[in-house]
Amino acid sequence: MKVGLLAIPLILLGVTQTGVAATQQGFKRFSVSAGWLHVMPQGKANSFNINTDVANGMRANVGMISGDTILNNIDQAKYDELEATDPYNMNNIIFNSVIKTKYLDEIIKMNLTGNETPEEYDAILQTITGDAQINGLEHWNSNAGLEADNIDTLGIVFDYYLNDNVSLQFIGGIPPKVDLKGKGAVYAPFSSVAYPFPILPTDPIYDPSVPPIEVYLKKDLLITDLEAYDNAASARAWTPALEAVYHFGKSGVNKFRPYIGAGIMYAHYSDIKINSGVENDLIAAGHMIQNIHDGYGGAALEKKLSSGNIVVDVDANDAIAPIVTAGFNYDLNDNWYATASVSYAKLNNVATIRVLNTNTGNELIHATTKIDIDPLITYVGVGYRF
C-alpha cells in the first residue's frame, strides 16, 4: 500500500551559489559546495474535494438501528418547521411518540426471536425499519487541509561555469522527511429521509392514498479530526533543481560577489506514510459507505464494521516549479569560498486519498487536496573550486 497524503510533500533543496576562481589567469570551470539548507513553507491549507460512490437520492435499507441513533441524528430544524406549520403533523407524532420513547427498539425486540435465518432476520428488520433516501455524501468540500512543516537538511550544489559571470547550477542533497500538519476536521454532510414501519401492499390496512411515515435525519458526521494528531502524514522529498546564475564582479578582483539565479525545480515524493490514527478514521469511513451498499444504513450511522476489507491509499503527484535566488559568495582563497543565499519556489502539488474495498475492488471514497508549499529557502555553506 502506497501511503502518504494527505498530501504530501515537499522539500526544496535550495539554491546556493558557487563562485569563480580568484586568479589573474582566469576562472575555474567547476565548483561544489555543501551546507545547511532551511526550508520554510509559506503556503496555507486548501480544502479537500471529496467524493463517495453513494449517489444523492440513493435508497438503502436501514436494517438494525437503535432509537437513540435516530434521536441523535434527527433533523430538529425540520421538525421545528413542521410543528410551526402543523402541530398535529404525522411526522411530529412519530418523532415525539415513537423515537423519543425508543419504541422502535421495543418493536425490533418483540419481532426477533433469535432463531431466524439470515434472510428472515433481514426481512423482519426491513419490515420494521424500512429504508431511507440518502443525500449529501456524493460530493462535498471540506475546509480541513494540510500544511508542510519547516525542514532542515544538507544541501549540495554543483556549478559549471560558462564564463566568469554565468554558471549552470545543479542542486541536490539528502532528501529530507517532510511532515504534513493537519488543519481542521473533515465532516460528511449526511442527510436522509427514512421510511420506518412501512405498510406493505399485502397488509389488510394498506391504503395507497396514505403517504408513508417520514423521519427526517441530518447531521455532519465526523470523518477525522486532523488536528488531533501530531502529523497527518509524511513523505520523503526528492527535489533536484537546475538554475542559470549570474555572478556580479570579477574573479581575482572581487572577493565579495553577489549573484542572482532563476530556473526550475522538479519534486518527487516517496515513502509516503499516513498517520495511523487518520488511517483508522478513514477505514471507519469506508465501512460506513460499504454498510450503506450492504443494506445496513443503521450500521453505517453506528460506525459498525461492514462486509468489506477496507484499505487506504495515499499518493502525491510530481511537480515542476519555478525557482529564483539571490545570494553572495565570499572568497577565502583561490579555491575555498563561503556562500549564502535565499530562494523562493512557487511549488505546489496535489495529494490524493483513496479508500478502497479490496473484496470488490470498488473505490468507496476519493479525496484530493492541493498542498501549497511555496517555500522560502535559506542556504549557508562552504565551497571548493577546481
Side-chain angles (χ1 to χ4, degrees):
M1 178 176 64
K2 187 179 180 183
V3 203
L5 222 194
L6 86 213
I8 326 292
L10 118 261
I11 183 154
L12 292 288
L13 291 180
V15 172
T16 158
Q17 189 2 63
T18 49
V20 269
T23 67
Q24 294 294 341
Q25 290 76 21
F27 60 92
K28 294 183 178 179
R29 288 283 182 186
F30 303 98
S31 67
V32 63
S33 70
W36 172 42
L37 192 73
H38 181 61
V39 181
M40 298 168 284
Q42 304 298 301
K44 300 301 181 183
N46 293 296
S47 63
F48 273 98
N49 186 14
I50 305 172
N51 296 276
T52 80
D53 65 347
V54 176
N56 286 332
M58 176 180 174
R59 294 289 286 256
N61 292 336
V62 174
M64 180 62 77
I65 191 170
S66 72
D68 282 340
T69 298
I70 295 178
L71 183 60
N72 291 335
N73 291 276
I74 276 293
D75 186 354
Q76 186 62 55
K78 179 66 175 179
Y79 282 99
D80 290 344
E81 176 188 334
L82 291 172
E83 188 170 16
T85 57
D86 182 2
Y88 300 104
N89 183 284
M90 180 60 72
N91 289 291
N92 288 283
I93 296 173
I94 293 300
F95 174 62
N96 289 308
S97 66
V98 177
I99 299 172
K100 281 191 173 180
T101 60
K102 301 182 180 63
Y103 187 47
L104 176 62
D105 303 69
E106 298 304 318
I107 293 178
I108 293 174
K109 290 177 183 178
M110 288 166 47
N111 285 273
L112 291 174
T113 65
N115 298 318
E116 296 85 7
T117 66
E119 293 77 14
E120 292 170 336
Y121 177 88
D122 287 343
I124 293 171
L125 280 181
Q126 184 177 351
T127 300
I128 298 170
T129 60
D131 66 355
Q133 179 176 302
I134 299 171
N135 289 289
L137 300 182
E138 182 174 6
H139 173 260
W140 75 94
N141 290 321
S142 169
N143 290 330
L146 300 171
E147 290 182 2
D149 207 356
N150 289 356
I151 303 159
D152 292 288
T153 192
L154 173 67
I156 300 173
V157 180
F158 177 81
D159 276 84
Y160 173 74
Y161 292 87
L162 302 176
N163 56 46
D164 191 26
N165 295 104
V166 178
S167 71
L168 295 178
Q169 184 180 89
F170 177 80
I171 304 156
I174 297 178
K177 175 188 172 185
V178 181
D179 290 328
L180 292 176
K181 298 287 187 182
K183 299 295 180 180
V186 179
Y187 288 88
F190 167 84
S191 66
S192 173
V193 181
Y195 302 92
F197 314 113
I199 300 176
L200 305 177
T202 55
D203 196 300
I205 65 170
Y206 174 73
D207 182 351
S209 65
V210 177
I213 295 170
E214 297 177 340
V215 177
Y216 297 96
L217 307 176
K218 185 175 184 180
K219 189 171 185 178
D220 288 340
L221 303 176
L222 178 65
I223 301 299
T224 184
D225 183 357
L226 296 176
E227 294 189 14
Y229 308 100
D230 290 338
N231 295 308
S234 65
R236 187 72 58 187
W238 304 75
T239 55
L242 183 64
E243 283 193 300
V245 178
Y246 184 83
H247 311 261
F248 298 93
K250 184 175 176 59
S251 301
V253 176
N254 306 107
K255 283 184 174 291
F256 178 81
R257 297 187 67 186
Y259 63 85
I260 57 174
I264 59 172
M265 173 181 289
Y266 173 74
H268 171 73
Y269 307 98
S270 64
D271 195 24
I272 304 173
K273 295 179 180 179
I274 191 170
N275 180 283
S276 59
V278 176
E279 182 178 16
N280 288 335
D281 290 344
L282 295 176
I283 289 173
H287 281 298
M288 177 183 74
I289 299 300
Q290 186 59 47
N291 270 319
I292 292 173
H293 288 299
D294 290 344
Y296 299 108
L301 286 177
E302 294 174 348
K303 298 186 177 180
K304 295 180 179 178
L305 295 180
S306 71
S307 65
N309 181 44
I310 310 299
V311 300
V312 179
D313 177 82
V314 183
D315 201 1
N317 70 325
D318 293 352
I320 295 177
I323 183 170
V324 294
T325 300
F328 67 87
N329 293 329
Y330 183 81
D331 291 344
L332 304 175
N333 56 41
D334 284 356
N335 296 100
W336 291 94
Y337 63 93
T339 182
S341 66
V342 59
S343 306
Y344 177 77
K346 187 61 179 175
L347 178 66
N348 60 69
N349 71 292
V350 175
T352 301
I353 300 173
R354 302 168 67 228
V355 180
L356 310 166
N357 179 359
T358 60
N359 290 342
T360 62
N362 291 340
E363 182 181 68
L364 303 175
I365 303 173
H366 183 98
T368 60
T369 184
K370 180 184 175 186
I371 303 175
D372 288 327
I373 299 166
D374 299 342
L376 191 65
I377 308 156
T378 58
Y379 176 80
V380 178
V382 176
Y384 183 81
R385 304 184 184 93
F386 55 96

